Amino acid sequence: MLLFFTLGLLVHFVFFVSIFDIYFTSPLVHGMTPHFTPLPPPARRLVLLVADGLRADSLYELDENGNSRAPFLRNIIMHEGSWGISHTRVPTESRPGHVALIAGFYEDVSAVAKGWKENPVEFDSLFNESKYTWSWGSPDILPMFAKGASGDHVYTHSYDAKKEDFGAHDATKLDSWVFDNVKDFFHAARNNQSLFSKINEEKIVFFLHLLGLDTNGHAHRPSSRDYKDNIKKVDDGVKEIVSMFKHFYGNDGKTTFIFTSDHGMTDWGSHGAGHPSETLTPLITWGAGIKYPQKVSAQQFDDAFLKEWRLENWKRRDVNQADIAPLMASLIGVPFPLNSVGILPVDYLNNTDLFKAESVFTNAVQILEQFKVKMTQKKEVTLSFLFTPFKLLSDSTQLNILRKARSYIKQKKFDEVVSLCKELIHLALKGLSYYHTYDRFFLGISVVTGFVGWTSYASLLIIKSHSNLIRGVSKEVKKPSHLLPCSFVAIGILVAFFLLIQACPWTYYVYCLLPVPIWYAVLREFQVIQDLVASLLSFPLSHFVGYLLVFTLGIEILVLSFFYRYMLTAGLIAFAGWPFLTQLWTRAKITSLSWTFFSLLLAVFPLMPVVGRKPDISLVMGAGLLLLLLSLFVVTSLMKRKGSFIKEELLVHGLQMLSTVLSMYVVYSTHSSLLKKQGLPLMNQIVSWATLASSLVVPLLSSPVLFQRLFSILLSLMSTYLLLSTGYEALFPLVLSCLMCVWIYIEQETLQQSGVSCKQQLTSIQFSYNTDITQFRQLYLDDIRRAFFLVFFLVTAFFGTGNIASINSFDLASVYCFLTVFSPFMMGALMMWKILIPFVLVMCAFEAVQLTTQLSSKGKMNYLRSIGFVHFRKQK
């Protein structure tokens, strides 16, 4: 049993890791040479201003009085520069957004493992290609570009990370710090000859990272006065910086300014997913080399933003976020970032047609070289007769397009050059994607083969050990054949040799060789397979088809619930009617009614908005009061039972009730303190962490009697859950636990109804009780339903109050009782524990079901594997 369990963990770990290895590998390649436009650039210096977390609509729209929140930037749009919307990609987080802006490519998800701070793969950037770069802002963003730079020419100036406090009195101070330090820097440069000489060089970049808007958006929501006032603060700061640059450089007209954002933010103050409020960010450019405003009578876009923002008469130029990197590179004449996949937006350039054509040609050559390197790398590790090249961009096609483009430049057909080069860029990008996903199908087949084999093996073990399907002949001892093991050894050697000659990574060996021993173990149970087939053939066809349809429908509901939460409601409504379709209603009316009531009550939660969108502390307080009332009722009931409740147990429950009261106070006190912008009180923080720590230990001190232990677990976990709640979700574990309690009773009724065993007194069953192995029973058809119930409840526990598959479902306000200073790993761990608490409650209830129905742990876990994991792989 222990060996099988260990193997199961190992196999499922491999399957889990394979998801990231197949779908989330880094798209970067190395070995290219720099390329830059061979003409004098229009600007000597570039100022990049990134307002972290600024939504496009928040900047462009007018307030209730018809005035702009950013009058200076609005004036730029109308009189000095060009504007548009920069379209970001998922994940809409700060690091991927800045990488797209400054390096020109879309970051792979592997960076999340390092908190979006470190570089999982080294990459080139605009800062690295510049002669000098000075940057001011967050310590979470600036260092990653300095570490990736070659040489010592990228300088960073960051404030203390502790200043990134979501409970701070005034988050705009983060932006004020940047503006003030930039001014001090230029003032000091006048008295420092070495520094003065550097900042008067060409091909230099000044980067201002403004975090105040993101902090205020998380803390107060984008619709708040704090967020909107912060926009005005940024606008004033930008105006002062622009004035200072013009004065310092004597209005030489050689400075380009670019104002944008890394990502937007949802109405409920989060980001990370693909909602338009997160992916639409502003882009305003002006200065050297930038087109002046262009008035138009009409513009064709798929949205109504122009009319809403009253900018329909000023030409809007939209770009993809990665396109900004080649734009900046061309403006100051530095090589395009080597890993950039951005397409130069020539509509922003105010220069000669020759400059535009040469710049786009350079852009095409730079992306084409990435394609060539990627193709060469894949060709070197693939057998020649198996290699399938990207047919749309053969070597001859590449040469023809490049020669034609160069010929058009000589003939001064610049529009044709731009069109032809963009076509080449699109083909090269398709080719990059083709080679990046070249092995995906092969690896997917290997992993699916292994998973199907493991599921089959677990199912066969269940049938062999826990059912009465095995015939007597299957138990006869037969002389083992050497043909089967020898065949699989030969297959393993062939697979390993095939991978070896292609110089595949070691992970490929794991994915491709793992199915070999698994399927060997499956075929060793060939007699069990024969018995199973014979048993199924003897089953009435109508019954078999009916059960198969019900099972398939249940699995489909589970799969759809990953995309549509309301499918959980449909499933719970079906659960509510289940007792009335059986004899349970006649045998246990109160239990059946309770099951129906709590199933319908739980079915309400998936229909409600995702957690965090509408916070309501009164609901958290209400959940705490209901928990206290339930605690008083349970404790009073237990005290009435003679000899069943001792002082030590009363003390444990009393401490847990006190912990609930403290949690309610901390939630209310912290909420009030943050509203007053007084920060997180230290005492509240200490109590919160102490509650979390004690919740993992105190239940172990309670009585091992089944319901007393379950109730103790609920009290402890609910104390922590209240601290992590912001609204209606605080009621969810309470309702779920009530349904789990009824589930334990109703499963015992179903077991008694089938005549499998006598009804036990639940008050006498203990979690520490070691059941005699002779009391274990065989598995029956009804156990399939129990396994399905377990998986459905687990999915409900995960998705009942939100969709954890979407990053923007994580509301940072959930952790404000524990910490308010930005810490991605700690905050992520706390929010993950919040998600796991309902999961723990369901698993504890299932352990109780296992005890009361006299089902062995081995049978339970194997059954979970065969039934429970099917829909997860199907969904993937």
Side-chain angles (χ1 to χ4, degrees), residues 364-394:
V365 171
Q366 169 258 325
I367 294 178
L368 181 61
E369 188 166 357
Q370 293 184 69
F371 166 80
K372 290 180 178 179
V373 171
K374 192 77 172 179
M375 181 182 67
T376 302
Q377 290 178 352
K378 185 54 60 181
K379 195 172 183 179
E380 288 176 349
V381 296
T382 306
L383 296 176
S384 58
F385 65 91
L386 293 177
F387 180 72
T388 306
F390 182 64
K391 297 179 181 178
L392 296 178
L393 197 56
S394 61

Side-chain angles (χ1 to χ4, degrees), residues 147 442 567 734 810:
K147 290 180 180 178
F442 165 67
M567 293 305 299
L734 201 56
F810 294 116

Side-chain angles (χ1 to χ4, degrees), residues 312-606:
E312 57 266 40
N313 295 326
W314 281 268
K315 186 171 179 61
R316 167 179 154 189
R317 299 175 172 91
D318 286 10
V319 301
N320 290 321
Q321 193 172 48
D323 299 343
I324 299 175
L327 173 63
M328 294 188 294
S330 66
L331 286 168
I332 59 175
V334 300
F336 288 53
L338 295 176
N339 305 114
S340 172
V341 295
I343 304 174
L344 178 66
V346 291
D347 284 347
Y348 275 84
L349 294 176
N350 180 22
N351 212 315
T352 63
D353 290 339
L354 174 61
F355 181 87
K356 295 178 183 178
E358 287 284 3
S359 296
V360 175
F361 182 82
T362 303
N363 189 194
V365 171
Q366 169 258 325
I367 294 178
L368 181 61
E369 188 166 357
Q370 293 184 69
F371 166 80
K372 290 180 178 179
V373 171
K374 192 77 172 179
M375 181 182 67
T376 302
Q377 290 178 352
K378 185 54 60 181
K379 195 172 183 179
E380 288 176 349
V381 296
T382 306
L383 296 176
S384 58
F385 65 91
L386 293 177
F387 180 72
T388 306
F390 182 64
K391 297 179 181 178
L392 296 178
L393 197 56
S394 61
D395 292 342
S396 59
T397 304
Q398 298 172 32
L399 289 173
N400 289 336
I401 294 177
L402 291 175
R403 287 171 181 171
K404 189 179 292 186
R406 183 51 68 187
S407 174
Y408 282 154
I409 291 176
K410 291 180 180 179
Q411 298 172 30
K412 298 185 179 181
K413 296 180 179 180
F414 301 121
D415 291 339
E416 287 83 348
V417 174
V418 172
S419 177
L420 192 62
C421 288
K422 285 189 175 181
E423 179 187 346
L424 177 59
I425 288 173
H426 287 299
L427 287 175
L429 292 176
K430 285 183 179 179
L432 276 172
S433 177
Y434 172 79
Y435 287 118
H436 180 61
T437 59
Y438 191 85
D439 293 331
R440 182 171 293 179
F441 180 76
F442 165 67
L443 293 176
I445 290 294
S446 298
V447 172
V448 169
T449 303
F451 189 89
V452 171
W454 178 255
T455 304
S456 303
Y457 179 60
S459 302
L460 292 174
L461 282 185
I462 294 170
I463 296 169
K464 183 178 181 180
S465 305
H466 298 278
S467 74
N468 53 7
L469 296 178
I470 306 302
R471 299 178 178 180
V473 66
S474 64
K475 298 182 181 179
E476 296 177 4
V477 179
K478 295 183 179 181
K479 184 178 180 180
S481 172
H482 295 291
L483 178 61
L484 186 64
C486 290
S487 300
F488 275 89
V489 168
I491 293 173
I493 292 174
L494 287 174
V495 170
F497 181 72
F498 175 77
L499 297 174
L500 182 64
I501 59 178
Q502 294 194 102
C504 293
W506 67 269
T507 52
Y508 282 38
Y509 289 84
V510 177
Y511 304 142
C512 296
L513 290 176
L514 185 61
V516 176
I518 290 177
W519 278 102
Y520 168 69
V522 170
L523 294 182
R524 282 188 61 188
E525 305 295 340
F526 183 72
Q527 186 62 55
V528 180
I529 297 174
Q530 285 184 318
D531 291 345
L532 176 61
V533 172
S535 178
L536 291 176
L537 291 176
S538 65
F539 206 71
L541 182 61
S542 58
H543 289 186
F544 177 77
V545 174
Y547 285 130
L548 184 62
L549 288 176
V550 172
F551 178 78
T552 303
L553 178 63
I555 294 297
E556 285 301 321
I557 289 177
L558 286 173
V559 172
L560 290 173
S561 68
F562 277 76
F563 308 98
Y564 311 102
R565 289 175 57 223
Y566 59 79
M567 293 305 299
L568 294 174
T569 298
L572 288 167
I573 291 175
F575 281 10
W578 166 59
F580 302 99
L581 301 177
T582 64
Q583 297 181 3
L584 286 171
W585 167 246
T586 58
R587 293 180 58 87
K589 287 186 172 60
I590 296 178
T591 303
S592 298
L593 288 174
S594 299
W595 170 266
T596 301
F597 173 74
F598 286 114
S599 293
L600 293 176
L601 191 58
L602 192 65
V604 175
F605 287 93

